[in-house]
């Protein structure tokens, strides 16, 4: 029997896309509390998502309960045709780490009666009450369609232009598009630039007004950005792909913001096949001047003005009926940010609030925003804690570490948070949902787990992952009482993760420990595999079953697996996260501290220690065997950042500054310039480097440069190039075999395992 036949988990893990297929996601609740909209595929191996509606009152008259129905099915809408993706859509999905197919995202009007989505580059609209869906006759490939709040129009982007069409399919026209003097190869309207989508969690580039008569539209000019080329080495007959990549210390895209009227003197319908439509321009354009009205494509536009030289990053945009358009803009070093209110008549801005931090300022989901009474809602680092601030008052303290604002109601704010450092009892790996107002804090979620929620009015959808149950549960509450559940079709894993959540070392580092299934004390000490991410934005020690399945599988091969969230990872405190300023190497120190402490409580053989990781975890794994071969005896480094000068501006400069401003910091954190490569006291350790050659986030040059440096230093290592594979390795065969090959490498390197 072959190794592959013996091990069924890797294949299941790959086919189910980490057990995410078939699970409901992307919930939206209608304000009248009648409908819950979501995406879900047909089963645990089906990649094609359908759009679903849960009618909460469907069976009331007949004495029944809530009922689910399909609102849009890609198989029907495409008449069985194969889905085709444009290069722009593939790039957008890579930024969002989206590996499924079909309807992968949608947007709705304010009443949640109309949904719009792109499918195979075409624009579709679904009437959520009636349950009908149809294609609209517009030019493609369509990206990011969004209905107006009143449901009468749908805006979308295509080939650098922002266009709008009536919900009935009539009147398709351009609102903003590259015009005379603008290079369409560089200038686009309504799209998020690379660092916004990759690092700021801002995937969109336009926003409707509450009255549905205007839009805020981002204009992105990538002309200053350096061009990088990605070649497919397996197909030398194909041209390399050119992309604008803003590496640390190099120019960013220029981002401006405009208020664009839906109707204007330059408007006028055009057919999708008209010459003007093909050119992406409708109407005469005059010269742009900040703060002045101009005509371009669909109607009048007014530039929104702020000091873009001081605060070039447009991080957040919020526009609701509770107040003026609200912007959050950041300085390039991210130590200063402004909350700006926009005057829709002139485009002028006024500062509502200013934040500064000597390390950096984090961005948070759901903020900033206006409360219904007009107060500013934000998350801030104050008094050593990450707190919720409404107006001028902090409503939480050190007991909670805020993560996101989920909803802002008339009487409270719904948030997700972890237990802070002042919490009465530690809750390792847990994330809960809380209702917060001036009267206090009330936990909404119950039981150990990782919880999140979507709410509108009286209805809340609580999504929970728990340590003692596989997958996710989605419960629907009305006025605090559960009225329905949304079924998950995700597969049950063939193994069970038996994880021990604990803390390690004097710093109380959050840790997860997994031993082989059926392990007995008489089995003795086990070779150790550290399995961290270990860096910013990558929390891995979670009170959730599926989060530890891969670690359990490695444990079942004969290892004691340790996952540690050291300094730099989220969920603990601002100081914990910001300790890595200028010093990523201390994340390795915390892995060692956790390992050494846990060895006194668990059967860990510290004479046989390996480490594996991907992305930042790959950097950490390679760092471990290069800097501390006295502790680590083998490493698997997947898609590692080895030279921080090759990584993007918004991420890298937040932590390390710029290469010109702090060359010694970049050298100290680099693997390529690591003095340890040639240090005779550092014995070479087995190192496997894995990298997708189509990775446009951590480009393959990182691994190739490290391999070259290792070769020059006479240090043996293995390189596994993955042709046609990006940063998220979605291919089934690749994902499966990567696990098997890593186990084979660990057994060869440590002489251990089952």
């Amino acid at each position: 029997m072959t190794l592959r036949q013996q091990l069924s988990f890797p294949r299941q893990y790959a086919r189910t896309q980490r057990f995410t297929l078939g699970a409901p996601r992307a919930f939206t609740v209608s304000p009248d509390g009648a409908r819950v909209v979501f995406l879900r595929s047909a089963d645990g191996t089906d990649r094609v998502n359908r759009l679903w509606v849960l009618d909460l009152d469907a069976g009331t008259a007949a004495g029944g309960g809530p009922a689910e129905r399909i609102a849009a099915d890609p198989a029907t809408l495409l008449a069985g045709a194969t889905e085709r993706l444009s290069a722009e859509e593939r790039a957008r999905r890579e930024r969002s780490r989206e590996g499924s197919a079909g309807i992968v995202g949608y947007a709705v009007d304010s009443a949640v009666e109309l949904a719009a989505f792109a499918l195979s580059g075409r624009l579709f609209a679904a009437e959520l009450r009636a349950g009908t869906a149809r294609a609209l006759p517009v030019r493609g490939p369509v990206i990011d369609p969004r209905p107006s709040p009143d449901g009468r129009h749908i805006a979308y982007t295509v080939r650098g232009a922002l266009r709008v069409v009536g919900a009935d399919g009539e009147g398709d026209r351009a609102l903003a598009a590259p015009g005379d003097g603008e290079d369409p190869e560089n200038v686009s309207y309504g799209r998020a630039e690379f660092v916004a989508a990759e690092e700021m969690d801002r995937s969109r580039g336009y926003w409707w007004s509450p009255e549905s008569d205007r839009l805020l539209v981002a204009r992105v000019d990538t002309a200053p950005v350096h061009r990088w080329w990605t070649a497919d080495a397996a197909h030398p007959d194909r041209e390399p792909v050119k992309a604008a990549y803003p590496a640390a210390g190099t120019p960013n895209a220029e981002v401006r913001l405009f208020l664009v009227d839906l109707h204007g003197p330059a408007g006028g319908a055009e057919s999708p096949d008209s010459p003007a439509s093909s050119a992406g321009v409708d109407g005469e354009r005059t010269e742009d001047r900040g703060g002045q009205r101009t005509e371009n494509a669909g109607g009048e536009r007014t530039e929104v003005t702020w000091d873009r030289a001081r605060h070039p990053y447009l991080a957040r945009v919020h526009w609701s009926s509770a107040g003026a358009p609200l912007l959050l803009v950041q300085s390039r070093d991210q130590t200063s940010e402004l909350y700006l209110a926009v005057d829709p008549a002139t485009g002028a801005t006024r500062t509502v609030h200013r934040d500064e931090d000597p390390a950096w300022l984090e961005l948070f989901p759901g903020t900033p925003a206006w409360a219904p009474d007009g107060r500013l809602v934000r998350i801030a680092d104050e008094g050593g804690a990450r707190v919720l601030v409404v107006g001028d008052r902090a409503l939480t303290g050190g007991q909670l570490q805020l993560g996101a604002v989920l909803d802002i109601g008339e009487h409270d704010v719904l948030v997700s948070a972890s237990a802070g450092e002042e919490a009465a009892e530690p809750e390792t790996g847990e994330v809960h949902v809380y209702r917060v107002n001036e009267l206090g804090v009330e936990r909404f979620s119950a039981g150990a787990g990782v919880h999140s929620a979507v709410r509108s009015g009286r209805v809340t959808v609580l999504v929970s992952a728990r340590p003692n149950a596989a997958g996710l549960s989605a419960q629907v509450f009305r006025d605090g009482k559960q009225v329905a559940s949304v079924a998950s079709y995700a597969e049950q894993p063939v193994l069970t993760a038996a994880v021990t959540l604990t803390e390690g070392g004097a710093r109380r580092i959050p840790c997860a420990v997994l031993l082989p299934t059926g392990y007995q004390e008489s089995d003795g000490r086990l070779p150790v595999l550290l399995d961290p991410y270990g860096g910013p934005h990558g929390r891995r020690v979670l009170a959730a079953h599926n989060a530890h399945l891969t670690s359990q599988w490695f444990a079942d091969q004969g290892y004691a697996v340790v996952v540690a969230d050291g300094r730099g990872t989220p969920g603990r405190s601002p100081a914990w996260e910001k300790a890595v300023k200028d010093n990523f190497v201390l994340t390795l120190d915390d892995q060692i501290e956790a390992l050494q402490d846990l060895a006194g409580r668990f059967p860990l053989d510290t004479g046989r220690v390996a480490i594996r990781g991907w992305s930042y975890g790959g950097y950490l794994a390679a760092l471990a065997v290069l800097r501390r071969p006295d502790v680590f005896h083998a490493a698997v480094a997947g898609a590692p950042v080895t030279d921080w000068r090759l990584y993007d501006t918004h991420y890298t400069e937040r932590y390390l500054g710029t290469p010109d401003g702090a060359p010694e910091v970049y050298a100290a954190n680099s693997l390529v310039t690591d003095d340890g490569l040639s240090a005779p006291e550092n014995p070479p350790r087995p190192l496997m480097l894995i990298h997708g050659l189509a990775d446009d986030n951590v480009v393959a040059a990182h691994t190739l440069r490290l391999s070259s440096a290792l070769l020059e230093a006479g240090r043996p290592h293995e390189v596994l190039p993955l042709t046609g594979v990006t940063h998220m390795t979605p291919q089934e065969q690749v994902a499966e075999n990567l696990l098997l090959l890593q186990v084979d490498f660990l057994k060869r390197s440590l002489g251990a395992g089952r």
Side-chain angles (χ1 to χ4, degrees):
M1 184 176 292
T2 67
L3 179 64
R4 179 177 298 177
Q5 290 171 327
Q6 293 173 1
L7 305 175
S8 59
F9 172 79
R11 177 160 294 188
Q12 187 190 32
Y13 179 76
R15 287 185 174 179
T16 61
Q17 292 194 353
R18 302 168 177 85
F19 300 96
T20 60
L21 300 179
R25 63 183 178 99
F27 291 96
T28 304
V29 178
S30 64
D32 61 4
R35 293 172 304 286
V36 175
V37 187
F38 60 96
L39 300 176
R40 185 179 58 197
S41 62
D43 58 54
T45 58
D46 182 13
R47 295 179 61 244
V48 179
N49 283 303
R50 296 155 179 81
L51 184 67
W52 292 78
V53 173
L54 172 65
D55 290 317
L56 295 179
D57 302 319
T60 301
E68 294 180 1
R69 55 182 170 83
I70 297 176
D73 186 344
T76 301
L77 297 176
L78 297 180
T82 302
E83 184 179 3
R84 300 176 62 185
L85 302 181
S86 65
E88 293 84 355
E89 176 64 13
R90 287 195 297 271
R92 190 196 66 79
R93 295 189 184 192
E94 182 69 22
R95 301 283 71 77
S96 62
R97 306 298 188 265
E98 176 62 69
S100 60
I103 305 170
V104 299
Y106 67 96
V108 295
D109 63 346
S110 60
V112 191
E113 295 181 350
L114 177 71
F117 54 90
L119 184 60
S120 201
R122 298 165 60 191
L123 174 59
F124 290 86
E127 300 287 348
L128 299 176
R129 283 183 180 271
T132 58
R134 65 193 186 284
L136 301 185
V138 302
R139 62 176 299 175
V142 170
I143 303 288
D144 192 27
R146 296 179 179 271
S148 58
D150 64 9
R152 297 177 58 193
H153 298 88
I154 298 173
Y156 64 98
T157 67
V158 56
R159 296 191 178 94
L162 177 69
R163 301 179 66 85
V164 68
V165 64
D168 58 2
E170 298 296 324
D172 180 38
R173 63 190 186 280
L175 284 182
D180 294 341
E182 294 181 315
D183 183 355
E185 183 178 344
N186 295 313
V187 176
S188 65
Y189 288 86
R191 296 286 304 277
E193 73 276 20
F194 178 91
V195 293
E198 182 67 42
E199 307 296 357
M200 300 183 206
D201 195 29
R202 177 173 68 76
S203 60
R204 57 191 298 188
Y206 69 93
W207 299 263
W208 281 99
S209 70
E211 298 78 19
S212 303
D213 60 344
R214 309 181 80 183
L215 299 95
L216 278 166
V217 182
R219 176 191 184 273
V220 174
D221 185 354
T222 62
V225 183
H226 293 181
R227 264 42 179 185
W228 284 11
W229 301 82
T230 302
D232 185 346
H235 296 89
D237 55 315
R238 298 178 184 174
E239 289 189 2
V241 176
K242 181 172 67 172
Y245 190 91
T250 68
N252 278 309
E254 181 188 73
V255 180
R256 296 159 66 186
L257 191 65
F258 291 87
L259 285 153
V260 180
D261 289 343
L262 180 62
H263 305 289
E270 58 183 76
S271 69
D273 299 321
S274 70
S277 175
S278 299
V281 177
D282 178 17
E284 184 179 356
R285 177 186 177 277
T286 61
E287 183 180 358
D288 297 339
R289 293 198 175 104
Q292 294 188 10
R293 294 182 179 276
T294 62
E295 294 178 6
N296 179 288
E300 277 191 340
R301 72 178 190 178
T302 303
E303 182 164 8
V304 177
T305 57
W306 73 93
D307 187 353
R308 291 189 294 109
R310 179 71 182 90
H311 294 91
Y313 286 134
L314 178 65
R316 295 285 186 271
V317 177
H318 168 77
W319 201 352
S320 71
S321 58
L326 182 62
L327 314 181
L328 177 62
V329 296
Q330 287 189 323
S331 60
R332 177 151 174 168
D333 63 7
Q334 298 165 66
T335 63
S336 172
E337 64 187 18
L338 301 179
Y339 298 74
L340 304 174
V342 180
D343 182 346
T346 66
T349 57
R350 62 179 176 85
T351 301
V352 177
H353 182 79
R354 178 193 298 268
D355 272 331
E356 295 184 351
D357 190 285
W360 70 80
L361 292 155
E362 283 288 346
L363 299 172
F364 305 101
T367 66
W370 298 117
D373 60 8
R375 289 181 295 168
L376 178 66
V377 178
R378 58 191 178 91
I379 295 175
D381 294 346
E382 295 183 0
R386 184 154 289 162
V387 300
L388 175 70
V389 181
V390 179
D392 297 325
R393 183 180 174 186
L395 300 185
T396 61
Q399 293 81 13
L400 294 181
Q401 171 84 345
L402 267 289
V405 168
L406 306 174
D407 181 59
I408 303 172
E410 292 284 347
H411 306 293
D412 63 16
V413 180
L414 198 69
V415 303
S416 66
S418 304
E421 292 191 327
E422 297 179 18
E425 296 182 6
E427 297 176 333
T428 303
E430 296 190 35
V431 180
H432 284 279
V433 176
Y434 298 85
R435 290 191 293 243
V436 182
N437 58 25
E438 286 80 357
L439 299 178
V441 177
E442 177 186 9
R443 180 182 287 186
F444 183 81
S445 53
V450 176
H451 308 270
S452 188
V454 175
R455 183 180 73 171
S456 181
R458 300 163 53 201
V459 173
T460 303
V461 179
L462 179 68
V463 181
S464 303
R466 301 184 184 277
N468 56 357
L472 299 172
S473 66
Q475 301 166 293
V476 182
F477 295 82
R478 177 180 282 161
D479 297 329
K481 179 181 178 182
Q482 185 176 347
V483 295
S485 295
V486 180
S488 174
Y489 302 152
E491 281 197 4
Q492 287 290 310
V494 295
L495 56 79
T496 299
V499 60
T500 299
L501 299 177
T502 184
E503 294 179 339
R507 293 189 179 90
R508 297 173 42 236
I509 299 166
C511 296
V513 181
L514 300 100
L515 303 178
T517 301
Y519 172 83
Q520 298 180 358
E521 193 172 328
S522 59
D523 293 337
R525 292 190 173 271
L526 298 167
V528 185
L529 174 63
L530 271 67
D531 192 15
Y533 180 81
H537 303 134
R539 189 176 183 182
R540 286 219 47 217
V541 180
L542 296 168
H545 180 267
N546 282 24
H548 303 286
L549 284 171
T550 303
S551 295
Q552 182 65 60
W553 181 78
F554 275 101
D556 287 348
Q557 312 315 306
Y559 301 91
V561 178
V562 173
V563 182
D565 281 351
R567 285 170 291 176
T569 56
R572 179 76 170 266
S573 71
W576 185 263
E577 293 183 35
K578 294 175 183 178
V580 299
K581 178 66 176 174
D582 296 335
N583 187 7
F584 283 149
V585 177
L586 64 74
T587 62
L588 177 59
D589 298 338
D590 286 2
Q591 297 296 315
I592 297 172
E593 179 179 333
L595 170 68
Q596 293 173 341
D597 180 66
L598 294 173
R601 293 182 277 143
F602 295 89
L604 309 184
D605 181 355
T606 56
R608 295 180 293 170
V609 179
I611 182 172
R612 68 180 287 269
W614 193 268
S615 198
Y616 188 94
Y619 164 77
L620 189 56
L623 183 72
V625 291
L626 294 177
R627 298 282 179 97
R628 294 300 302 272
D630 56 317
V631 176
F632 297 95
H633 308 98
V636 177
V641 179
T642 66
D643 185 347
W644 290 101
R645 295 171 300 176
L646 295 178
Y647 202 56
D648 72 59
T649 52
H650 193 272
Y651 182 100
T652 312
E653 294 172 11
R654 179 193 310 139
Y655 307 114
L656 305 181
T658 62
D660 290 341
E664 72 287 352
V665 172
Y666 276 75
N669 289 279
S670 172
L671 301 180
V672 176
T673 60
D674 193 342
D675 292 337
L677 290 176
S678 57
E681 68 274 14
N682 287 350
R685 298 297 192 192
L687 171 61
M688 172 183 275
L689 299 171
I690 307 171
H691 219 119
L693 299 183
D695 194 335
D696 66 351
N697 178 24
V698 182
V699 295
H702 286 275
T703 282
L704 297 177
R705 289 189 182 186
L706 177 58
S707 177
S708 178
L710 290 168
L711 184 62
E712 289 181 9
R715 290 183 172 266
H717 60 284
E718 300 179 21
V719 179
L720 180 59
L722 308 176
T723 57
V725 172
T726 63
H727 196 63
M728 61 179 179
T729 61
Q731 295 89 338
E732 180 179 315
Q733 294 83 358
V734 171
E736 175 188 1
N737 289 316
L738 274 181
L739 292 178
L740 299 173
L741 290 170
Q742 289 177 65
V743 166
D744 176 70
F745 171 81
L746 293 173
K747 290 181 177 180
R748 288 189 284 110
S749 301
L750 293 185
R754 293 180 173 177

